[in-house]
Amino acid sequence: MTAHVATVDELFTRERRDERTVLVDTTRRDYDAHWLCTSAWKAGNFLRHAGVREGVTVGVAGNGPVALLACFGATLLGATTRPNPPADLADETNLQAIVAPVDELESDRYELPRGTSMLGYGDKPETPGIKNFDAGLWSENPSFPPQSLSPETGLLTDGSRTVSHARALESARNLIDEYEIEAGDRVVVREPLAAVEVAIAGVFAPLLAGAVTVLEGESGDEDEGDDAVRERAEVDEDATVYTISDATTEESATQIDPTVLSLSDRTS
């Protein structure tokens, strides 16, 4: 059943923590709602130390569970996430932090505004100034103070437009209704999350419907620590499978076209 929420942070309340699978990574490990909520709270608490707050933007590179936690943590704080941003960010005026694989940050791939916090995951950073996102995340307090966000708070941006919580949730509900996505169904994401439409269709719509986001593509940003290891995901044979991909698939799955979201008419 689709959750009745006004802002995305309401999808991470204590009451929603249970053992249902909500995420499957590229190695076919699964993650339950208890892990997702608690880890998102930790991410939000750690990002707060980096100055993340309402009104700022956080760049998040990657399409795996750790990258999603960074996005959710920023969301809890009222910040706007820019998924998989370009390398040249020097002219961004409100970029407070960037979360990316350590090797990307240490290679000076990104041109950042002065004062932007760099948070690296994957390997342990050796460069001064890059904080260890993994270590900070897992050592944080697994609770989060209640927030009061406006539905018009920015949720996602691609650099040229910003989508609010209200617009993202409205679009997600329309998508759920159009494709009849139900709890337990599986939404397989085969497109980069840099596109706002893909992020809403592949991540936020399944969260809203109680469905499962299945990540596919290149692996590399999954955390291999004990806290992240889960059993191999067991597929519910009665669940409907959806796929988000530009390529035509021959498998028995319903293909979702993220462009039906038509976000441009109510974004800033």
Side-chain angles (χ1 to χ4, degrees):
M1 183 174 67
T2 304
H4 296 285
V5 297
T7 53
V8 171
D9 58 299
E10 295 178 44
L11 295 172
F12 295 90
T13 58
R14 187 171 297 276
E15 296 75 26
R16 292 178 62 84
R17 296 191 307 174
D18 54 39
E19 296 182 354
R20 60 192 169 85
T21 297
V22 292
L23 176 67
V24 179
D25 69 18
T26 60
T27 69
R28 290 298 175 266
R29 291 189 178 94
D30 68 346
Y31 302 80
D32 60 30
H34 189 285
W35 176 89
L36 189 73
C37 288
T38 302
S39 300
W41 300 340
K42 290 182 177 182
N45 288 327
F46 185 62
L47 288 170
R48 195 195 306 273
H49 299 316
V52 175
R53 61 196 181 280
E54 189 170 352
V56 305
T57 299
V58 178
V60 178
N63 298 308
V66 176
L68 289 180
L69 290 181
C71 172
F72 298 148
T75 296
L76 291 174
L77 294 168
T80 303
T81 297
R82 184 169 184 180
N84 289 311
D88 186 1
L89 297 165
D91 294 330
E92 296 294 315
T93 58
N94 63 344
L95 185 69
Q96 178 63 33
I98 184 166
V99 182
V102 169
D103 59 350
E104 291 187 6
L105 294 176
E106 291 188 329
S107 68
D108 295 327
R109 172 183 177 183
Y110 295 100
E111 295 183 32
L112 303 171
R114 186 174 181 178
T116 300
S117 296
M118 293 185 290
L119 312 175
Y121 65 86
D123 299 323
K124 183 178 179 180
E126 297 182 358
T127 303
I130 299 178
K131 297 179 181 178
N132 191 326
F133 185 74
D134 301 87
L137 178 66
W138 305 126
S139 65
E140 271 296 341
N141 188 348
S143 63
F144 198 84
Q147 293 287 93
S148 180
L149 300 179
S150 165
E152 298 308 315
T153 300
L155 174 69
L156 296 168
T157 184
D158 60 8
S160 61
R161 55 183 178 158
T162 298
V163 180
S164 69
H165 284 243
R167 184 58 177 136
L169 289 171
E170 178 185 357
S171 298
R173 290 188 183 98
N174 291 339
L175 193 77
I176 291 166
D177 291 341
E178 178 169 349
Y179 288 92
E180 299 181 343
I181 301 173
E182 298 181 352
D185 287 346
R186 301 166 72 81
V187 180
V188 182
V189 183
R190 294 185 174 135
E191 291 296 306
L193 296 174
V196 171
E197 291 86 354
V198 173
I200 292 174
V203 177
F204 293 101
L207 273 178
L208 193 62
V212 183
T213 293
V214 181
L215 303 173
E216 288 204 354
E218 295 183 2
S219 60
D221 54 351
E222 290 81 13
D223 188 288
E224 296 293 342
D226 292 340
D227 288 335
V229 174
R230 297 292 184 274
E231 301 260 333
R232 296 284 175 176
E234 295 183 4
V235 178
D236 182 353
E237 294 182 355
D238 295 326
T240 303
V241 178
Y242 300 86
T243 182
I244 300 175
S245 174
D246 286 338
T248 302
T249 177
E250 297 181 356
E251 64 186 88
S252 57
T254 301
Q255 191 157 344
I256 293 178
D257 179 7
T259 62
V260 302
L261 291 174
S262 301
L263 293 168
S264 60
D265 60 339
R266 285 183 57 189
T267 56
S268 59

